[in-house]
Amino acid sequence: MQDNATEVTAAGIARLAGVGRAAVSNWRRRHADFPKPVGGTETSPSFALAEVEAWLRGHGKLAEVPLRERVWQQLAGHPAGPVTALTHAGCVLLLIHDRPTVWLEVSAGSDERLAAMLPGALEQVFTPRFGTARRGTATGAAPVNGGRPETTADTVHTPATPATPAHAASAHATPTPAAPAGPTLPTSSTPSAPSAPALAVPVGPELLPSAPLLRGAAELAAELGARQTFEFLLGRHLDANPRQYTLTPAALAELMARLAGPARTVLDPACGAGALLCAAAPGPEQSGQELYAQDGAPELAALTALRLALHTRAAVHAAAGDTLRADAHPHLRADAVLCHPPFNERNWGHDELAYDPRWEYGFPARTESELAWVQHALARLADGGTAVVLMPPAAASRRSGRRIRADLLRRGALRAVVALPAGAAPPYNIPLHLWVLRRPGRTAAHPEVLLADAGRFAGEGRGGPDWQGVREAVLGAWRAYDRAGRLDERPGLARSVPVIELLDDDVDLAPARHLPPPAAAGGAEQLAGVRERLGETLRLTAELTPPPAEAAGSAPRWPLTTVGELARGGALLLRTGGNGGHARVPVLTDHDVLAGTGPSGTLPESDEEAVLTEPGDVVLPVLGGGAVARVIDEAVSGAALGRNLVLLRPDPAALDAWFLAGFLRGTANNRRASSYASTATRLDVRRLHLPRLPLAEQRRYGARFRALDEFERALKHAGRLGEQLVRGMYDGLTDGSVTPG
């Protein structure tokens, strides 16, 4: 066996064979010929993937392994690490995408021949797509700082291809750290390391261990397509390492790109995994656009370059390195800049960059790294270009940044501040802001700035915001303001504020502090309607109250079964959620199940089919320790099953859905089937018990469980109406729209 063979864990073996981890443990104990561990630890050993596949195949347990799972295991267990493996796979997928016949020629023959010929073939693709091709290691160190730009300048690479003359700027005097008197354009940032592209052509010795993975990726590309294969592998890698990367949700990226508008040249100086540039890029059939990217994590810059090249025909200029300390695109004047910078960075280069020409609006304080990113974005814009930057809400009001905010307003650079709903992007518990900026041209500064608050579109719990509502409200307000230079007041949502009103001692730009609230609950008439509905609901609740409980004497001794046994016997189908599929349908989240509300979530698009609910399905959340089971009705039917949910689809000829849901909600039942960690409780649905009863008896119990469910929903509805009435009365009495009577 080779020392550098791909390894797989017990969990990976379980996924390969489509079984639980307990089955793998049993195989290791019962079969003397099961492969021996080659790495890992005593409690978490790893095995050679080739040996495992041979053993599973020999014992007839590998027949139904999906190709996607096999390729993913090869990538995850690669001896050089998953990032290197993903980069190698991306290079080959780009070759297949652009020159499939070359790949067929290169891949014919042995793995050694493939590794020897592949670098030359890749150079034929890299040169026209990235403007250059160099041999060497394709990726750098592992990501730190959440995958956002780093603060070490010695790993910086800049593209060898210079910016086009149309984006070059004439030289201007270097300003002092204080805000300059006029709109001078900086010519460069601090000196960078020698220029080189972020993506290098891997050499033969690097590629040889990847040969099985590359052939598997090519096989998967024939089934899914090259771009979809890379998106699947990249998404799986990001999902497997959530703490290493700070991602920009696709819906937010789309909103930012639409705020910036169509652009021929687009820059993302903190590109991460490339979501913003993908949202701004044209379709594969369009050409002529140029995309510029930089990130402090070399592997993210490389993966972004590959992702963009597979996503669009636009020219891609990607570089790795600390953007603020060593800008890879110092002469660029882009039509649009999109940026999701790292937040709350103290070591962003404050001491080294005191006299940097980018600080046209003032030298940022050490605690104001976000204002450094804002000014970098403005410095890389062409006159009249638009930048959209995701910002923490504190940046709108911190006293240390008030002078820079004031100068941004005076000179017309800051055009809009939009407060997003909580849950729009990590950190999900904070309502982040979007700053829309324009590079001031020769025209007079705009006397008003748009302030908007989309907080009303926040979703409940972890379901995420109502993105359709956010897009319609924010884009509608921005476009109306952008056309006229002002916006009539939209209570509680948006208004254009004269700049002079904001230039006080605080220069506080938080939209909520400048927008009039909407009329409390719609005014006194609306509150009267809420009160009437509450009365009707309370009367219905009284009617639905269960009759007095009757003692049953000694507890019945039913013969018991488990959900796992019923699933194996075909009495029900068990499915787990979490895949978005290709169809964009509403997603039922675990919070929706707990709250009894409609589907409110979203899932990223994936090549794995989504689990769609049907009437009569029983859905259970597996986290949190709550005894909850929900029977799907027509109103929720067709929604995709979200993460941390399990769906049970009973056979109507064998099981009554309400009987099943009712017994699964028993507190003692849930306690027996739950496992406990230090911070969470997880439910093993297969271990839940229920009695073996005739179908007629099941339906008798099911009718009572259904009546209890109606009573529970009426109580919850009454509680929500009561809270709405109380809050509306408080707001109405305090803002004057309601009198004490």
Side-chain angles (χ1 to χ4, degrees), residues 26 63 72 91 152 162 263 283 298 322 346 367 435 458 499 516 521 538 554 562 584 603 661 678 680 723:
N26 289 335
W72 167 249
C91 291
T152 53
D322 186 328
R346 296 298 183 96
T367 57
W435 286 22
V499 168
L538 290 174
S554 59
T562 66
R584 309 314 298 161
L603 285 171
S678 58
E723 290 177 2

mmCIF file with all atom_site columns, all heavy atoms in Angstrom, residues 26 63 72 91 152 162 263 283 298 322 346 367 435 458 499 516 521 538 554 562 584 603 661 678 680 723:
data_model
loop_
_atom_site.group_PDB
_atom_site.id
_atom_site.type_symbol
_atom_site.label_atom_id
_atom_site.label_alt_id
_atom_site.label_comp_id
_atom_site.label_asym_id
_atom_site.label_entity_id
_atom_site.label_seq_id
_atom_site.pdbx_PDB_ins_code
_atom_site.Cartn_x
_atom_site.Cartn_y
_atom_site.Cartn_z
_atom_site.occupancy
_atom_site.B_iso_or_equiv
_atom_site.pdbx_formal_charge
_atom_site.auth_seq_id
_atom_site.auth_comp_id
_atom_site.auth_asym_id
_atom_site.auth_atom_id
_atom_site.pdbx_PDB_model_num
ATOM 1   N N   . ASN A 1 26  ? -19.611 -3.019 13.832  1.00 0.00 ? 26  ASN A N   1
ATOM 2   C CA  . ASN A 1 26  ? -19.891 -4.457 13.847  1.00 0.00 ? 26  ASN A CA  1
ATOM 3   C C   . ASN A 1 26  ? -19.034 -5.197 12.829  1.00 0.00 ? 26  ASN A C   1
ATOM 4   O O   . ASN A 1 26  ? -18.533 -6.299 13.100  1.00 0.00 ? 26  ASN A O   1
ATOM 5   C CB  . ASN A 1 26  ? -21.372 -4.707 13.571  1.00 0.00 ? 26  ASN A CB  1
ATOM 6   C CG  . ASN A 1 26  ? -22.253 -4.291 14.727  1.00 0.00 ? 26  ASN A CG  1
ATOM 7   O OD1 . ASN A 1 26  ? -21.809 -4.255 15.869  1.00 0.00 ? 26  ASN A OD1 1
ATOM 8   N ND2 . ASN A 1 26  ? -23.511 -3.966 14.442  1.00 0.00 ? 26  ASN A ND2 1
ATOM 9   N N   . ALA A 1 63  ? -22.435 -2.020 -4.021  1.00 0.00 ? 63  ALA A N   1
ATOM 10  C CA  . ALA A 1 63  ? -23.114 -1.981 -5.320  1.00 0.00 ? 63  ALA A CA  1
ATOM 11  C C   . ALA A 1 63  ? -23.859 -0.680 -5.556  1.00 0.00 ? 63  ALA A C   1
ATOM 12  O O   . ALA A 1 63  ? -23.932 -0.185 -6.680  1.00 0.00 ? 63  ALA A O   1
ATOM 13  C CB  . ALA A 1 63  ? -24.086 -3.154 -5.429  1.00 0.00 ? 63  ALA A CB  1
ATOM 14  N N   . TRP A 1 72  ? -16.493 12.373 -3.448  1.00 0.00 ? 72  TRP A N   1
ATOM 15  C CA  . TRP A 1 72  ? -16.311 13.207 -2.256  1.00 0.00 ? 72  TRP A CA  1
ATOM 16  C C   . TRP A 1 72  ? -15.371 12.530 -1.256  1.00 0.00 ? 72  TRP A C   1
ATOM 17  O O   . TRP A 1 72  ? -14.518 13.182 -0.658  1.00 0.00 ? 72  TRP A O   1
ATOM 18  C CB  . TRP A 1 72  ? -17.647 13.507 -1.602  1.00 0.00 ? 72  TRP A CB  1
ATOM 19  C CG  . TRP A 1 72  ? -17.483 14.074 -0.220  1.00 0.00 ? 72  TRP A CG  1
ATOM 20  C CD1 . TRP A 1 72  ? -17.796 13.490 0.968   1.00 0.00 ? 72  TRP A CD1 1
ATOM 21  C CD2 . TRP A 1 72  ? -16.909 15.344 0.108   1.00 0.00 ? 72  TRP A CD2 1
ATOM 22  N NE1 . TRP A 1 72  ? -17.456 14.310 2.008   1.00 0.00 ? 72  TRP A NE1 1
ATOM 23  C CE2 . TRP A 1 72  ? -16.908 15.457 1.512   1.00 0.00 ? 72  TRP A CE2 1
ATOM 24  C CE3 . TRP A 1 72  ? -16.396 16.389 -0.647  1.00 0.00 ? 72  TRP A CE3 1
ATOM 25  C CZ2 . TRP A 1 72  ? -16.421 16.578 2.174   1.00 0.00 ? 72  TRP A CZ2 1
ATOM 26  C CZ3 . TRP A 1 72  ? -15.913 17.516 0.015   1.00 0.00 ? 72  TRP A CZ3 1
ATOM 27  C CH2 . TRP A 1 72  ? -15.922 17.603 1.405   1.00 0.00 ? 72  TRP A CH2 1
ATOM 28  N N   . CYS A 1 91  ? -9.123  22.320 -11.441 1.00 0.00 ? 91  CYS A N   1
ATOM 29  C CA  . CYS A 1 91  ? -8.303  22.523 -12.644 1.00 0.00 ? 91  CYS A CA  1
ATOM 30  C C   . CYS A 1 91  ? -8.731  21.570 -13.754 1.00 0.00 ? 91  CYS A C   1
ATOM 31  O O   . CYS A 1 91  ? -8.881  21.976 -14.919 1.00 0.00 ? 91  CYS A O   1
ATOM 32  C CB  . CYS A 1 91  ? -6.828  22.310 -12.305 1.00 0.00 ? 91  CYS A CB  1
ATOM 33  S SG  . CYS A 1 91  ? -6.109  23.587 -11.243 1.00 0.00 ? 91  CYS A SG  1
ATOM 34  N N   . THR A 1 152 ? -0.836  39.182 6.760   1.00 0.00 ? 152 THR A N   1
ATOM 35  C CA  . THR A 1 152 ? 0.583   38.984 6.496   1.00 0.00 ? 152 THR A CA  1
ATOM 36  C C   . THR A 1 152 ? 0.846   39.250 5.040   1.00 0.00 ? 152 THR A C   1
ATOM 37  O O   . THR A 1 152 ? 0.192   38.703 4.169   1.00 0.00 ? 152 THR A O   1
ATOM 38  C CB  . THR A 1 152 ? 1.002   37.548 6.843   1.00 0.00 ? 152 THR A CB  1
ATOM 39  O OG1 . THR A 1 152 ? 0.132   36.654 6.159   1.00 0.00 ? 152 THR A OG1 1
ATOM 40  C CG2 . THR A 1 152 ? 0.910   37.296 8.343   1.00 0.00 ? 152 THR A CG2 1
ATOM 41  N N   . PRO A 1 162 ? -1.546  43.353 -16.375 1.00 0.00 ? 162 PRO A N   1
ATOM 42  C CA  . PRO A 1 162 ? -1.888  44.663 -15.830 1.00 0.00 ? 162 PRO A CA  1
ATOM 43  C C   . PRO A 1 162 ? -3.297  45.058 -16.200 1.00 0.00 ? 162 PRO A C   1
ATOM 44  O O   . PRO A 1 162 ? -3.907  44.510 -17.108 1.00 0.00 ? 162 PRO A O   1
ATOM 45  C CB  . PRO A 1 162 ? -0.863  45.597 -16.477 1.00 0.00 ? 162 PRO A CB  1
ATOM 46  C CG  . PRO A 1 162 ? -0.524  44.917 -17.768 1.00 0.00 ? 162 PRO A CG  1
ATOM 47  C CD  . PRO A 1 162 ? -0.610  43.446 -17.517 1.00 0.00 ? 162 PRO A CD  1
ATOM 48  N N   . ALA A 1 263 ? -22.187 46.108 -14.664 1.00 0.00 ? 263 ALA A N   1
ATOM 49  C CA  . ALA A 1 263 ? -20.839 46.680 -14.675 1.00 0.00 ? 263 ALA A CA  1
ATOM 50  C C   . ALA A 1 263 ? -19.936 45.816 -15.541 1.00 0.00 ? 263 ALA A C   1
ATOM 51  O O   . ALA A 1 263 ? -20.050 44.583 -15.536 1.00 0.00 ? 263 ALA A O   1
ATOM 52  C CB  . ALA A 1 263 ? -20.278 46.767 -13.257 1.00 0.00 ? 263 ALA A CB  1
ATOM 53  N N   . GLY A 1 283 ? -23.970 35.552 -17.626 1.00 0.00 ? 283 GLY A N   1
ATOM 54  C CA  . GLY A 1 283 ? -24.108 34.141 -17.937 1.00 0.00 ? 283 GLY A CA  1
ATOM 55  C C   . GLY A 1 283 ? -22.968 33.642 -18.807 1.00 0.00 ? 283 GLY A C   1
ATOM 56  O O   . GLY A 1 283 ? -22.197 34.427 -19.364 1.00 0.00 ? 283 GLY A O   1
ATOM 57  N N   . PRO A 1 298 ? -4.762  32.070 0.438   1.00 0.00 ? 298 PRO A N   1
ATOM 58  C CA  . PRO A 1 298 ? -4.402  31.685 -0.934  1.00 0.00 ? 298 PRO A CA  1
ATOM 59  C C   . PRO A 1 298 ? -5.320  30.632 -1.530  1.00 0.00 ? 298 PRO A C   1
ATOM 60  O O   . PRO A 1 298 ? -5.623  30.676 -2.717  1.00 0.00 ? 298 PRO A O   1
ATOM 61  C CB  . PRO A 1 298 ? -2.964  31.166 -0.784  1.00 0.00 ? 298 PRO A CB  1
ATOM 62  C CG  . PRO A 1 298 ? -2.438  31.847 0.434   1.00 0.00 ? 298 PRO A CG  1
ATOM 63  C CD  . PRO A 1 298 ? -3.614  31.970 1.363   1.00 0.00 ? 298 PRO A CD  1
ATOM 64  N N   . ASP A 1 322 ? -2.938  40.064 1.487   1.00 0.00 ? 322 ASP A N   1
ATOM 65  C CA  . ASP A 1 322 ? -3.624  41.039 2.326   1.00 0.00 ? 322 ASP A CA  1
ATOM 66  C C   . ASP A 1 322 ? -3.933  42.287 1.498   1.00 0.00 ? 322 ASP A C   1
ATOM 67  O O   . ASP A 1 322 ? -3.039  43.036 1.124   1.00 0.00 ? 322 ASP A O   1
ATOM 68  C CB  . ASP A 1 322 ? -2.723  41.386 3.511   1.00 0.00 ? 322 ASP A CB  1
ATOM 69  C CG  . ASP A 1 322 ? -3.404  42.294 4.517   1.00 0.00 ? 322 ASP A CG  1
ATOM 70  O OD1 . ASP A 1 322 ? -4.237  43.121 4.109   1.00 0.00 ? 322 ASP A OD1 1
ATOM 71  O OD2 . ASP A 1 322 ? -3.084  42.170 5.707   1.00 0.00 ? 322 ASP A OD2 1
ATOM 72  N N   . ARG A 1 346 ? -8.417  44.429 14.454  1.00 0.00 ? 346 ARG A N   1
ATOM 73  C CA  . ARG A 1 346 ? -7.523  45.431 15.034  1.00 0.00 ? 346 ARG A CA  1
ATOM 74  C C   . ARG A 1 346 ? -6.191  45.484 14.301  1.00 0.00 ? 346 ARG A C   1
ATOM 75  O O   . ARG A 1 346 ? -5.565  46.538 14.200  1.00 0.00 ? 346 ARG A O   1
ATOM 76  C CB  . ARG A 1 346 ? -7.285  45.122 16.522  1.00 0.00 ? 346 ARG A CB  1
ATOM 77  C CG  . ARG A 1 346 ? -8.537  45.214 17.391  1.00 0.00 ? 346 ARG A CG  1
ATOM 78  C CD  . ARG A 1 346 ? -9.101  46.623 17.390  1.00 0.00 ? 346 ARG A CD  1
ATOM 79  N NE  . ARG A 1 346 ? -10.265 46.771 18.267  1.00 0.00 ? 346 ARG A NE  1
ATOM 80  C CZ  . ARG A 1 346 ? -10.210 47.223 19.505  1.00 0.00 ? 346 ARG A CZ  1
ATOM 81  N NH1 . ARG A 1 346 ? -9.054  47.579 20.026  1.00 0.00 ? 346 ARG A NH1 1
ATOM 82  N NH2 . ARG A 1 346 ? -11.310 47.323 20.228  1.00 0.00 ? 346 ARG A NH2 1
ATOM 83  N N   . THR A 1 367 ? -9.616  50.903 15.534  1.00 0.00 ? 367 THR A N   1
ATOM 84  C CA  . THR A 1 367 ? -10.850 50.129 15.723  1.00 0.00 ? 367 THR A CA  1
ATOM 85  C C   . THR A 1 367 ? -11.828 50.266 14.555  1.00 0.00 ? 367 THR A C   1
ATOM 86  O O   . THR A 1 367 ? -12.930 49.719 14.629  1.00 0.00 ? 367 THR A O   1
ATOM 87  C CB  . THR A 1 367 ? -11.556 50.597 17.007  1.00 0.00 ? 367 THR A CB  1
ATOM 88  O OG1 . THR A 1 367 ? -11.801 52.002 16.919  1.00 0.00 ? 367 THR A OG1 1
ATOM 89  C CG2 . THR A 1 367 ? -10.707 50.303 18.231  1.00 0.00 ? 367 THR A CG2 1
ATOM 90  N N   . TRP A 1 435 ? -23.771 49.536 2.865   1.00 0.00 ? 435 TRP A N   1
ATOM 91  C CA  . TRP A 1 435 ? -23.444 50.902 2.478   1.00 0.00 ? 435 TRP A CA  1
ATOM 92  C C   . TRP A 1 435 ? -23.295 50.938 0.963   1.00 0.00 ? 435 TRP A C   1
ATOM 93  O O   . TRP A 1 435 ? -22.514 50.159 0.388   1.00 0.00 ? 435 TRP A O   1
ATOM 94  C CB  . TRP A 1 435 ? -22.147 51.354 3.142   1.00 0.00 ? 435 TRP A CB  1
ATOM 95  C CG  . TRP A 1 435 ? -22.271 51.661 4.613   1.00 0.00 ? 435 TRP A CG  1
ATOM 96  C CD1 . TRP A 1 435 ? -23.224 51.204 5.466   1.00 0.00 ? 435 TRP A CD1 1
ATOM 97  C CD2 . TRP A 1 435 ? -21.398 52.492 5.385   1.00 0.00 ? 435 TRP A CD2 1
ATOM 98  N NE1 . TRP A 1 435 ? -23.015 51.682 6.724   1.00 0.00 ? 435 TRP A NE1 1
ATOM 99  C CE2 . TRP A 1 435 ? -21.898 52.487 6.709   1.00 0.00 ? 435 TRP A CE2 1
ATOM 100 C CE3 . TRP A 1 435 ? -20.258 53.232 5.096   1.00 0.00 ? 435 TRP A CE3 1
ATOM 101 C CZ2 . TRP A 1 435 ? -21.276 53.190 7.742   1.00 0.00 ? 435 TRP A CZ2 1
ATOM 102 C CZ3 . TRP A 1 435 ? -19.644 53.932 6.126   1.00 0.00 ? 435 TRP A CZ3 1
ATOM 103 C CH2 . TRP A 1 435 ? -20.153 53.912 7.428   1.00 0.00 ? 435 TRP A CH2 1
ATOM 104 N N   . ALA A 1 458 ? -37.576 40.291 8.752   1.00 0.00 ? 458 ALA A N   1
ATOM 105 C CA  . ALA A 1 458 ? -36.845 39.241 9.460   1.00 0.00 ? 458 ALA A CA  1
ATOM 106 C C   . ALA A 1 458 ? -37.719 37.997 9.589   1.00 0.00 ? 458 ALA A C   1
ATOM 107 O O   . ALA A 1 458 ? -38.927 38.084 9.840   1.00 0.00 ? 458 ALA A O   1
ATOM 108 C CB  . ALA A 1 458 ? -36.418 39.737 10.842  1.00 0.00 ? 458 ALA A CB  1
ATOM 109 N N   . VAL A 1 499 ? -28.410 65.786 3.957   1.00 0.00 ? 499 VAL A N   1
ATOM 110 C CA  . VAL A 1 499 ? -27.106 65.555 4.567   1.00 0.00 ? 499 VAL A CA  1
ATOM 111 C C   . VAL A 1 499 ? -26.893 66.468 5.754   1.00 0.00 ? 499 VAL A C   1
ATOM 112 O O   . VAL A 1 499 ? -26.317 66.064 6.780   1.00 0.00 ? 499 VAL A O   1
ATOM 113 C CB  . VAL A 1 499 ? -26.003 65.735 3.506   1.00 0.00 ? 499 VAL A CB  1
ATOM 114 C CG1 . VAL A 1 499 ? -24.623 65.790 4.162   1.00 0.00 ? 499 VAL A CG1 1
ATOM 115 C CG2 . VAL A 1 499 ? -26.064 64.602 2.492   1.00 0.00 ? 499 VAL A CG2 1
ATOM 116 N N   . PRO A 1 516 ? -39.329 57.481 10.625  1.00 0.00 ? 516 PRO A N   1
ATOM 117 C CA  . PRO A 1 516 ? -40.522 57.481 11.481  1.00 0.00 ? 516 PRO A CA  1
ATOM 118 C C   . PRO A 1 516 ? -41.120 56.082 11.515  1.00 0.00 ? 516 PRO A C   1
ATOM 119 O O   . PRO A 1 516 ? -41.154 55.391 10.491  1.00 0.00 ? 516 PRO A O   1
ATOM 120 C CB  . PRO A 1 516 ? -41.459 58.473 10.792  1.00 0.00 ? 516 PRO A CB  1
ATOM 121 C CG  . PRO A 1 516 ? -41.026 58.466 9.355   1.00 0.00 ? 516 PRO A CG  1
ATOM 122 C CD  . PRO A 1 516 ? -39.539 58.225 9.368   1.00 0.00 ? 516 PRO A CD  1
ATOM 123 N N   . ALA A 1 521 ? -49.567 49.182 14.757  1.00 0.00 ? 521 ALA A N   1
ATOM 124 C CA  . ALA A 1 521 ? -50.502 48.118 14.361  1.00 0.00 ? 521 ALA A CA  1
ATOM 125 C C   . ALA A 1 521 ? -51.562 48.616 13.403  1.00 0.00 ? 521 ALA A C   1
ATOM 126 O O   . ALA A 1 521 ? -52.668 48.112 13.352  1.00 0.00 ? 521 ALA A O   1
ATOM 127 C CB  . ALA A 1 521 ? -51.158 47.508 15.595  1.00 0.00 ? 521 ALA A CB  1
ATOM 128 N N   . LEU A 1 538 ? -60.374 32.997 21.375  1.00 0.00 ? 538 LEU A N   1
ATOM 129 C CA  . LEU A 1 538 ? -60.545 32.514 22.742  1.00 0.00 ? 538 LEU A CA  1
ATOM 130 C C   . LEU A 1 538 ? -61.831 31.701 22.875  1.00 0.00 ? 538 LEU A C   1
ATOM 131 O O   . LEU A 1 538 ? -61.863 30.683 23.588  1.00 0.00 ? 538 LEU A O   1
ATOM 132 C CB  . LEU A 1 538 ? -60.547 33.689 23.713  1.00 0.00 ? 538 LEU A CB  1
ATOM 133 C CG  . LEU A 1 538 ? -59.207 34.411 23.898  1.00 0.00 ? 538 LEU A CG  1
ATOM 134 C CD1 . LEU A 1 538 ? -59.372 35.643 24.766  1.00 0.00 ? 538 LEU A CD1 1
ATOM 135 C CD2 . LEU A 1 538 ? -58.168 33.460 24.506  1.00 0.00 ? 538 LEU A CD2 1
ATOM 136 N N   . SER A 1 554 ? -54.863 0.354  35.433  1.00 0.00 ? 554 SER A N   1
ATOM 137 C CA  . SER A 1 554 ? -53.472 -0.060 35.214  1.00 0.00 ? 554 SER A CA  1
ATOM 138 C C   . SER A 1 554 ? -53.079 0.253  33.776  1.00 0.00 ? 554 SER A C   1
ATOM 139 O O   . SER A 1 554 ? -53.888 0.147  32.848  1.00 0.00 ? 554 SER A O   1
ATOM 140 C CB  . SER A 1 554 ? -53.312 -1.559 35.482  1.00 0.00 ? 554 SER A CB  1
ATOM 141 O OG  . SER A 1 554 ? -54.167 -2.303 34.625  1.00 0.00 ? 554 SER A OG  1
ATOM 142 N N   . THR A 1 562 ? -40.398 -0.153 17.105  1.00 0.00 ? 562 THR A N   1
ATOM 143 C CA  . THR A 1 562 ? -39.654 1.106  16.962  1.00 0.00 ? 562 THR A CA  1
ATOM 144 C C   . THR A 1 562 ? -39.820 1.645  15.548  1.00 0.00 ? 562 THR A C   1
ATOM 145 O O   . THR A 1 562 ? -40.201 0.910  14.625  1.00 0.00 ? 562 THR A O   1
ATOM 146 C CB  . THR A 1 562 ? -38.157 0.909  17.251  1.00 0.00 ? 562 THR A CB  1
ATOM 147 O OG1 . THR A 1 562 ? -37.595 0.056  16.251  1.00 0.00 ? 562 THR A OG1 1
ATOM 148 C CG2 . THR A 1 562 ? -37.934 0.317  18.630  1.00 0.00 ? 562 THR A CG2 1
ATOM 149 N N   . ARG A 1 584 ? -36.495 25.742 -6.863  1.00 0.00 ? 584 ARG A N   1
ATOM 150 C CA  . ARG A 1 584 ? -36.544 26.730 -5.794  1.00 0.00 ? 584 ARG A CA  1
ATOM 151 C C   . ARG A 1 584 ? -37.921 26.705 -5.160  1.00 0.00 ? 584 ARG A C   1
ATOM 152 O O   . ARG A 1 584 ? -38.877 27.296 -5.664  1.00 0.00 ? 584 ARG A O   1
ATOM 153 C CB  . ARG A 1 584 ? -36.217 28.127 -6.317  1.00 0.00 ? 584 ARG A CB  1
ATOM 154 C CG  . ARG A 1 584 ? -34.947 28.240 -7.143  1.00 0.00 ? 584 ARG A CG  1
ATOM 155 C CD  . ARG A 1 584 ? -33.778 27.517 -6.505  1.00 0.00 ? 584 ARG A CD  1
ATOM 156 N NE  . ARG A 1 584 ? -33.431 28.077 -5.207  1.00 0.00 ? 584 ARG A NE  1
ATOM 157 C CZ  . ARG A 1 584 ? -32.722 27.431 -4.314  1.00 0.00 ? 584 ARG A CZ  1
ATOM 158 N NH1 . ARG A 1 584 ? -32.331 26.194 -4.535  1.00 0.00 ? 584 ARG A NH1 1
ATOM 159 N NH2 . ARG A 1 584 ? -32.424 28.014 -3.174  1.00 0.00 ? 584 ARG A NH2 1
ATOM 160 N N   . LEU A 1 603 ? -32.500 27.012 1.318   1.00 0.00 ? 603 LEU A N   1
ATOM 161 C CA  . LEU A 1 603 ? -31.347 26.123 1.275   1.00 0.00 ? 603 LEU A CA  1
ATOM 162 C C   . LEU A 1 603 ? -30.566 26.426 0.008   1.00 0.00 ? 603 LEU A C   1
ATOM 163 O O   . LEU A 1 603 ? -31.155 26.774 -1.024  1.00 0.00 ? 603 LEU A O   1
ATOM 164 C CB  . LEU A 1 603 ? -31.785 24.647 1.253   1.00 0.00 ? 603 LEU A CB  1
ATOM 165 C CG  . LEU A 1 603 ? -32.287 24.044 2.572   1.00 0.00 ? 603 LEU A CG  1
ATOM 166 C CD1 . LEU A 1 603 ? -32.875 22.663 2.318   1.00 0.00 ? 603 LEU A CD1 1
ATOM 167 C CD2 . LEU A 1 603 ? -31.166 23.954 3.595   1.00 0.00 ? 603 LEU A CD2 1
ATOM 168 N N   . ALA A 1 661 ? -47.807 10.355 14.970  1.00 0.00 ? 661 ALA A N   1
ATOM 169 C CA  . ALA A 1 661 ? -47.303 11.625 15.500  1.00 0.00 ? 661 ALA A CA  1
ATOM 170 C C   . ALA A 1 661 ? -47.588 11.753 16.986  1.00 0.00 ? 661 ALA A C   1
ATOM 171 O O   . ALA A 1 661 ? -46.751 12.252 17.753  1.00 0.00 ? 661 ALA A O   1
ATOM 172 C CB  . ALA A 1 661 ? -47.927 12.789 14.733  1.00 0.00 ? 661 ALA A CB  1
ATOM 173 N N   . SER A 1 678 ? -22.643 18.163 25.651  1.00 0.00 ? 678 SER A N   1
ATOM 174 C CA  . SER A 1 678 ? -22.478 19.232 26.631  1.00 0.00 ? 678 SER A CA  1
ATOM 175 C C   . SER A 1 678 ? -23.369 20.427 26.321  1.00 0.00 ? 678 SER A C   1
ATOM 176 O O   . SER A 1 678 ? -23.768 21.156 27.225  1.00 0.00 ? 678 SER A O   1
ATOM 177 C CB  . SER A 1 678 ? -21.013 19.671 26.676  1.00 0.00 ? 678 SER A CB  1
ATOM 178 O OG  . SER A 1 678 ? -20.586 20.098 25.388  1.00 0.00 ? 678 SER A OG  1
ATOM 179 N N   . ALA A 1 680 ? -26.015 20.285 23.598  1.00 0.00 ? 680 ALA A N   1
ATOM 180 C CA  . ALA A 1 680 ? -27.159 20.003 22.737  1.00 0.00 ? 680 ALA A CA  1
ATOM 181 C C   . ALA A 1 680 ? -27.723 18.623 23.056  1.00 0.00 ? 680 ALA A C   1
ATOM 182 O O   . ALA A 1 680 ? -27.050 17.763 23.627  1.00 0.00 ? 680 ALA A O   1
ATOM 183 C CB  . ALA A 1 680 ? -26.759 20.074 21.259  1.00 0.00 ? 680 ALA A CB  1
ATOM 184 N N   . GLU A 1 723 ? -50.249 39.066 22.131  1.00 0.00 ? 723 GLU A N   1
ATOM 185 C CA  . GLU A 1 723 ? -49.007 39.840 22.102  1.00 0.00 ? 723 GLU A CA  1
ATOM 186 C C   . GLU A 1 723 ? -49.113 41.017 21.132  1.00 0.00 ? 723 GLU A C   1
ATOM 187 O O   . GLU A 1 723 ? -48.642 42.124 21.416  1.00 0.00 ? 723 GLU A O   1
ATOM 188 C CB  . GLU A 1 723 ? -47.845 38.929 21.691  1.00 0.00 ? 723 GLU A CB  1
ATOM 189 C CG  . GLU A 1 723 ? -47.469 37.898 22.735  1.00 0.00 ? 723 GLU A CG  1
ATOM 190 C CD  . GLU A 1 723 ? -46.360 36.988 22.248  1.00 0.00 ? 723 GLU A CD  1
ATOM 191 O OE1 . GLU A 1 723 ? -45.887 37.206 21.106  1.00 0.00 ? 723 GLU A OE1 1
ATOM 192 O OE2 . GLU A 1 723 ? -45.966 36.072 22.993  1.00 0.00 ? 723 GLU A OE2 1
#
